[in-house]
Each structure stands twice: as C-alpha cells, then as structure tokens.
Amino acid sequence: MSTAGITASRATADGAPPLVEVEDVTFFYGESLILQNISCSVREGEFVSIIGASGCGKSTLLQILDGALQPAAGRVEVGGKPVAARNAERAMVFQSFALFPWRTVLDNVRLGVDYRRRDLSRKQRNEVARDYLNRVGLSKAEKSYPYQLSGGMQQRVGLARAFAVQPTLLLMDEPFGALDAQNAELLREDVRALVAQEQRSVVLVTHNLDEALQLSDRILLLRAAPGRVEDDINVRELRDDAENWRIDYSRHRDRLWDFLRQEVAAAQGRSLEDRS
Ligand SMILES: Nc1ncnc2c1ncn2[C@@H]1O[C@H](COP(=O)(O)OP(=O)(O)OP(=O)(O)O)[C@@H](O)[C@H]1O
Ligand SMILES: [Mg+2]
C-alpha cells in the first residue's frame, strides 16, 4: 500500500472534549473473563483504531460501545450519558455488510434515516438517503437488491447507511475485511473522504496495520487473555511531522507488527496449552 497522501485533512481533535469515556470496563462471557479494566476515551471528531490478535475482544468492546452488550463492571459513556441500549446516535459498519436482502439499496440506507430523522418528511428522508448513496458513487443502484451488487458495492451501501444516520459515534468492525485489496482501498478512500467532510468520531477495528496508520488519529493496542489496553499511540501527532513520518513510517509499522506478532504467538501458545 502506498504511503503517499497519508496526511488526512482533518481538523485537530486535541482540544475537543471526550465523546466516549470508558473506565475500568470488565466483561465476561459466562465464566470467561474477556475484557479486564479497559479504560480509553475518544474525543469528538477523533478517529481511533483498535488493533489486537484474533479473539482478544475487539468486537466485544465495540458492542459494549454500541450498547449491545453490558459490561460486568465499569463505566461507558457517550456524550456524557451512560450507554444503555442500542440507539441511532451510534451506527455500526460490519465486515459482513449486514444489509437487509429483501430491501432495495435505497431502502437499506433509508431505514436508519427513517428512525433517526422523524422530523423530516418521507420525501426529505429519501433525499438524505439518496445524497449518501450518491457520495459513495451508488446513485444508479438505488433500486437494486443487495444480491445484485458486488461485495465492494454492498459495503458502500453499508457505509452510506451508517453515515446517513449522521451518528455521534461511528463504529466499524473490520469493514474492509471481506473485500479484495482493490475494493478495500477504494472503500478506504470513501471513508477517509466522508470522515473528513463530516468530522465524525470513529472507532475502527482492523487487522490491517497500514489502514490503521493511515486513517487514525490514535491507535489502541489491545492485549489478549484477558483483553486490556497495552498502548495508546498518537498517530496524528506523528503524521503531522510529515517529513519524519515518511522516513519513520516503516518503523512505526514494524512496531505495530511486533506487537501483533507476539500477541498471535501468545494466542497460539494458549490454544496449544488448552489442548494439552
Ligand atoms: N457470544 C459469545 N459467547 C461466548 N464467547 C464469545 C462470544 N463471542 C465471542 N466470544 C469469545 O470472546 C473472545 C473475544 O471475542 P471477540 O469476537 O470480541 O474477539 P475479536 O478480537 O473481535 O476477534 P477477531 O479479530 O477474530 O474478530 C473470544 O475468545 C471469543 O471466542
Ligand atoms: Mg472481531
């Protein structure tokens, strides 16, 4: 992946108040301790990526932020309010697209808009949905059904649906993971453009180190068994120093990869222990 054009044109999020505050969150699935004393925050307009080995609890943490899972202990607040149930202030983009197969592309995008923007007329809600479809280059596909679209196009619908809700917090769980390299790159450009235009606050889970380095303001490294925050890297600060960023890019990438490689090796070790 090219490192050219990496400098995302985003306003500074440093002075912004925290939008998401996670404090000492602990989560169990049954008897298994999955997340232990997780603390982190996301400022308004900030793009935070989460990296960690498979199974370390990244999706679990996103679902806690989405209000779909309740932690056993700890505090989770978005916009100063405890996250209780799922609501339209947050939007999620999944690796598996999660579109409704029996609805047209336009209806899929409009669904969230209908729920969130009851102040608008049906015509206006259609216009909002069309606007976001247009922004991801899918205006001609509005009457199609998901099965008639390629994977890349389906995920564009997923993006349009999430952004059209104009969420306070956008949660993305490996949104490009199911796409081929070319489509993933194109979608990344769409996300970068939409995020820059709208200054959305985003939490992205990804296994792709270049993606994290290029899109994020900060990267959280999540250690496994149980999941906990190992490091919080201010990438934007590094990237703002454009010359050194270019020179040091591979060093930053190596640092992430070293972490991930050790985590994957540790996970393999644990799984062998489990079997013995
Ligand atoms: N519904 C569930 N019931 C019980 N255990 C679960 C459930 N969902 C996930 N787990 C376990 O919780 C741990 C964390 O899962 P999670 O899906 O959050 O990991 P992840 O970091 O997102 O992994 P990946 O990178 O593979 O998506 C894993 O050990 C997983 O097996
Ligand atoms: Mg996951």
Side-chain angles (χ1 to χ4, degrees), residues 53-54 224-225 260-276:
S54 183
L260 210 50
R261 191 174 36 200
Q262 279 172 29
E263 282 295 290
V264 171
Q268 280 168 353
R270 278 192 299 275
S271 118
L272 288 176
E273 270 170 33
D274 287 350
R275 269 181 250 158
S276 62

Side-chain angles (χ1 to χ4, degrees), residues 90-165:
R90 302 176 295 274
M92 183 85 107
V93 181
F94 299 93
Q95 179 177 15
S96 57
F97 317 144
L99 302 176
F100 293 107
W102 61 88
R103 286 181 180 264
T104 65
V105 161
L106 181 64
D107 281 351
N108 262 286
V109 177
R110 214 192 43 216
L111 208 65
V113 185
D114 282 349
Y115 178 52
R116 176 79 192 254
R117 300 298 306 273
R118 290 184 185 146
D119 54 313
L120 301 179
S121 67
R122 189 180 158 83
K123 185 165 171 276
Q124 286 169 321
R125 294 197 301 259
N126 259 328
E127 278 164 15
V128 171
R130 283 209 172 94
D131 175 34
Y132 279 88
L133 274 177
N134 189 28
R135 291 206 218 175
V136 296
L138 276 186
S139 44
K140 291 203 177 109
E142 66 169 59
K143 293 201 177 81
S144 304
Y145 287 86
Y147 75 89
Q148 296 173 304
L149 306 181
S150 70
M153 290 163 91
Q154 288 188 48
Q155 192 57 308
R156 287 216 154 77
V157 180
L159 283 183
R161 180 177 61 184
F163 276 89
V165 175

